[in-house]
Amino acid sequence: MKPAGLTARCALALAMVAAAATECAAGAPAPADPYQPLAFLIGHCWKGTFGGDARTTDEHCFSRIYGSKFVRDEHVVHRAGRPDAFGESIYVWDPVAGRLEYLYIESAGGFIRGTVTSEECALVFPAAGFVEPDGSMNVRSRWQRAGEDAYDVVTEFQVQDRWVPGFSLHMQRVQNAPT
């Protein structure tokens, strides 16, 4: 039997964790909706510019698919004077492993498989191998909430034994995602 004080402290701690998850919309996945960490993204499109160059943008649109069993992130990089680059991520809850996973594919033939975790008000994409037709590299990323209508992306690449800056974007909500 547990002491009453311990049970009350545990209940309070759980309530605080639940409140923090609701506030950030990036808390630990709730069993009823394992995609809760992605909830603030779903149903919206987000756009950012690379290095302050308004001519090169990245736009992501998130939606639930197949009866809300998965989440899709379709994105396009618009580059002035060059063809657009396209990509798509499918987020999958793996109930056996108890984790959120994704598969990203791109129009240049590259792909990456990885996991997503939530940490306070951020989505964390731990290091994973990005495979391209001519080789591979390890990539990691962090998407930090920046209010209700924005998030900041920081992506790094592994070069030999160290991590180097890749790119960063400030993504702003621009419209609702197509249904």
Side-chain angles (χ1 to χ4, degrees), residues 18-77:
T22 300
E23 179 181 317
C24 296
D33 184 7
Y35 300 104
Q36 179 60 33
L38 305 171
F40 79 98
L41 299 166
I42 298 170
H44 306 287
C45 294
W46 308 80
K47 189 174 188 177
T49 60
F50 285 95
D53 177 7
R55 299 176 317 141
T56 305
T57 62
D58 191 7
E59 186 169 354
H60 290 249
C61 294
F62 293 81
S63 59
R64 289 184 179 263
I65 58 173
Y66 300 117
S68 295
K69 292 177 182 71
F70 306 100
V71 171
R72 174 184 285 150
D73 166 12
E74 296 176 280
H75 92 105
V76 60
V77 175

Side-chain angles (χ1 to χ4, degrees), residues 89-115:
S89 295
I90 302 296
Y91 293 89
V92 177
W93 174 253
D94 181 338
V96 175
R99 65 184 182 201
L100 191 55
E101 300 177 354
Y102 69 93
L103 170 63
Y104 170 74
I105 57 174
E106 64 164 21
S107 57
F111 69 91
I112 187 171
R113 287 185 205 102
T115 61

